[in-house]
Amino acid sequence: TQLLEQSPQFLSIQEGENLTVYCNSSSVFSSLQWYRQEPGEGPVLLVTVVTGGEVKKLKRLTFQFGDARKDSSLHITAAQPGDTGLYLCAGPIYNFNKFYFGSGTKLNVKP
Amino acid sequence: GAVVSQHPSRVICKSGTSVKIECRSLDFQATTMFWYRQFPKQSLMLMATSNEGSKATYEQGVEKDKFLINHASLTLSTLTVTSAHPEDSSFYICSARGWDSGANVLTFGAGSRLTVL
């Protein structure tokens, strides 16, 4: 069983559309991170959310941390082909000795 | 920002040989590093936690004799895949724990693609 469940698993959309990716858990996290990974490369950190209810914006990307710190969402406005990649949520547990990753969302933005 | 260098990026070896992958923190000290394995189109699977100066902690189902981890210094962790077989072919990624926005985060290496013939 995945500690962090992401949905959807796959998303193929046209350039200019909006989308939302969800990351859910039954566990409380002290923080959650979102990463983007391109083929053949390591994941790159996009954002960290720490406070319940927190909203962070990174250009066209909006990240939200649930009030109970069990879930998070990533919303992309006017998606572009450059947004294509694997999006991963992750969080530390066990006193920060481990980081677990969500199941991932593979996004493909078609021009 | 924090940079993690991983080498080699690609390696092809014959079945039965051993392969070593290095993971270095370039501008910071990393007492803890993590090794992940990733299958095509899947998320990252934690293999083990590498602790400087002590034994690595392996996840359930990961063979410690197959995947040897050494963390001899504050900037270097190595993963050695011993007696590699085709089923060990995968994308291996290391990471080091860092700090961002008041929280622990991970900085990743670029990954190593292992192909065992």
Side-chain angles (χ1 to χ4, degrees), chain A:
Chain A
T1 319
Q2 286 274 359
L3 192 64
L4 288 166
E5 294 285 348
Q6 276 184 247
S7 63
Q9 279 189 292
F10 301 97
L11 197 53
S12 183
I13 60 174
Q14 291 293 138
E15 181 177 2
E17 292 184 19
N18 302 331
L19 67 115
T20 302
V21 177
Y22 300 93
C23 177
N24 297 294
S25 177
S26 57
S27 302
V28 175
F29 283 85
S30 58
S31 65
L32 279 179
Q33 290 84 48
W34 285 91
Y35 295 83
R36 184 172 75 201
Q37 183 184 23
E38 299 192 20
E41 298 182 12
V44 174
L45 178 67
L46 295 174
V47 80
T48 301
V49 285
V50 180
T51 307
E54 181 178 7
V55 176
K56 279 191 174 180
K57 290 193 175 184
L58 187 67
K59 296 183 180 178
R60 293 176 293 102
L61 278 60
T62 302
F63 303 85
Q64 186 164 5
F65 201 12
D67 292 339
R69 292 186 288 129
K70 292 183 178 181
D71 57 272
S72 181
S73 64
L74 157 61
H75 182 79
I76 301 179
T77 303
Q80 298 178 1
D83 296 327
T84 294
L86 178 66
Y87 287 82
L88 299 159
C89 65
I93 62 172
Y94 301 143
N95 296 321
F96 313 114
N97 284 331
K98 291 186 180 182
F99 279 77
Y100 281 98
F101 280 79
S103 42
T105 296
K106 183 75 171 68
L107 172 65
N108 180 37
V109 182
K110 295 174 283 187

Side-chain angles (χ1 to χ4, degrees), chain B residues 19-23 31-37 45-59 62-73 76-82 92-95:
Chain B
V19 174
K20 180 186 283 187
I21 301 170
E22 293 188 348
C23 181
T31 55
T32 304
M33 291 186 176
F34 303 93
W35 287 94
Y36 291 85
R37 182 173 181 175
M45 181 189 76
L46 180 64
M47 297 176 64
T49 302
S50 173
N51 304 297
E52 186 270 335
S54 64
K55 291 183 179 180
T57 305
Y58 290 82
E59 293 300 296
V62 178
E63 299 176 59
K64 58 182 66 177
D65 294 331
K66 157 70 80 176
F67 300 100
L68 298 179
I69 291 174
N70 184 277
H71 196 154
S73 78
L76 174 64
S77 176
T78 61
L79 167 67
T80 302
V81 183
T82 63
Y92 293 89
I93 313 175
C94 72
S95 66

